[in-house]
Amino acid sequence: MYDKVLTLGADGHLTVPVRRMERLGGYRITVGPAGAPAPYPPKCEAEAARQNRAVLHLGSDTALDSGRGYIGGVDVADSSVSFTVHAAQAGIHVMTVRYANGTGAESRHTVRVGTENQGEVVFPAAGANTMTLGKGSGDAELDYADVRSDTHRYEAELAAVTDADLRHYRWNEFPDYVGGIDRSGASVEFTVGAPRSGSYLLDVGYANGTPDPADHVVTVDGAAAGRIAMPSTAAWLDTERQDAVARGATLRVTSHEDLNRVRLAKGTGYAELDWLALRLD
């Protein structure tokens, strides 16, 4: 998200800088009346955060930043930028940081929520949280932080597929789901990250075009985790209304901190897999 007040050129044209565009990427530009950029709840501008031994930039070098400025000079051991972030609910959250690093080498910032160091940002409770980014290694400037509930999904077509088929929706030439999970050895294995050990809810997007119920056998790092039930959806994922066909199924599992191998294997009946997600129980 890039929010910026821009000025019309002498010829009446507006130039909007879009850097590092990606092939096949989508971009939306919304132009509104002059005024401050419209904020949205999860986004916190660095120039409005609390700074300690860092440098606030609001001058002529801020043409490509979001909002009205950015924070540089996060260069000494106790440099930090602290944001007050309001979480609607407790749980796993994803933090996106817009930054600049002109050193040519990797840079890192430490992350802390309250007094707890975070590899992943996990809010201990709903409400206000103080999130601090501090000097790590190298040098990087901060533009904004965007914190929202984790909605990351692991796509089935990017997982490790055994004895099943990568399929695509009609004219789409790229694989976007896994079907043909029909044989006894068929499986789809996802590598899923968990911020800490404990109980989670495993959500799966699927389609079952038969009139009968189906299920998949679930293991986590080779240990049995149960069966996930997949009632009939009355159609498959290659139908005209693919988005309406996909349904969700949920199973409670136990995961350890860091990466987990979550495997869904052929059980009873037939079901196609679209995606998988992990959330706190």
Side-chain angles (χ1 to χ4, degrees):
M1 174 68 73
Y2 173 83
D3 294 326
K4 190 69 179 175
V5 176
L6 301 171
T7 303
L8 286 173
D11 58 359
H13 290 87
L14 183 67
T15 300
V16 179
V18 181
R19 306 183 68 185
R20 296 182 181 177
M21 296 179 68
E22 296 181 1
R23 182 172 179 267
L24 303 179
Y27 301 87
R28 175 182 295 172
I29 297 175
T30 303
V31 179
Y40 61 97
K43 185 176 175 221
C44 305
E45 293 288 349
E47 66 271 17
R50 188 172 70 252
Q51 305 125 35
N52 180 64
R53 299 194 71 185
V55 179
L56 173 63
H57 291 257
L58 298 175
S60 59
D61 60 342
T62 63
L64 292 176
D65 68 346
S66 170
R68 64 187 182 91
Y70 66 93
I71 301 297
V74 190
D75 298 340
V76 295
D78 59 347
S79 292
S80 65
V81 181
S82 297
F83 303 84
T84 298
V85 178
H86 293 271
Q89 59 186 19
I92 305 173
H93 286 65
V94 172
M95 179 180 69
T96 301
V97 176
R98 188 170 189 255
Y99 73 97
N101 172 11
T103 66
E106 180 184 85
S107 295
R108 298 186 181 187
H109 283 171
T110 61
V111 180
R112 188 175 70 249
V113 175
T115 59
E116 184 178 354
N117 293 328
Q118 302 285 329
E120 299 279 344
V121 177
V122 180
F123 289 108
N129 298 266
T130 299
M131 181 182 67
T132 302
L133 278 71
K135 166 69 175 175
S137 60
D139 303 294
E141 303 164 333
L142 291 177
D143 191 7
Y144 67 71
D146 184 339
V147 180
R148 58 187 68 205
S149 295
D150 185 2
T151 56
H152 178 67
R153 303 193 320 185
Y154 297 87
E155 297 294 334
E157 68 273 14
L158 301 178
V161 177
T162 301
D163 208 12
D165 304 320
L166 293 176
R167 295 180 177 174
H168 58 85
Y169 170 65
R170 297 196 176 186
W171 53 81
N172 178 12
E173 62 183 276
F174 302 103
D176 53 13
Y177 67 95
V178 176
I181 310 171
D182 302 340
R183 295 165 284 277
S184 60
S187 68
V188 182
E189 185 173 284
F190 302 80
T191 300
V192 179
R196 58 185 61 182
S197 299
S199 180
Y200 289 83
L201 293 177
L202 187 73
D203 295 325
V204 174
Y206 76 96
N208 171 9
T210 76
D212 302 315
D215 64 31
H216 281 175
V217 178
V218 181
T219 59
V220 179
D221 287 334
R227 288 176 176 252
I228 187 164
M230 300 172 175
S232 173
T233 59
W236 301 104
L237 289 170
D238 59 356
T239 60
E240 189 65 35
R241 291 292 314 281
Q242 183 184 24
D243 56 339
V245 169
R247 303 287 176 81
T250 300
L251 178 70
R252 182 176 287 105
V253 300
T254 299
S255 299
H256 65 263
E257 183 178 351
D258 207 359
L259 299 180
N260 297 261
R261 292 180 295 106
V262 180
R263 184 173 181 263
L264 279 71
K266 164 70 176 173
T268 59
Y270 305 96
E272 300 169 331
L273 289 179
D274 190 6
W275 53 266
L276 177 147
L278 196 69
R279 57 189 169 96
L280 283 177
D281 187 351

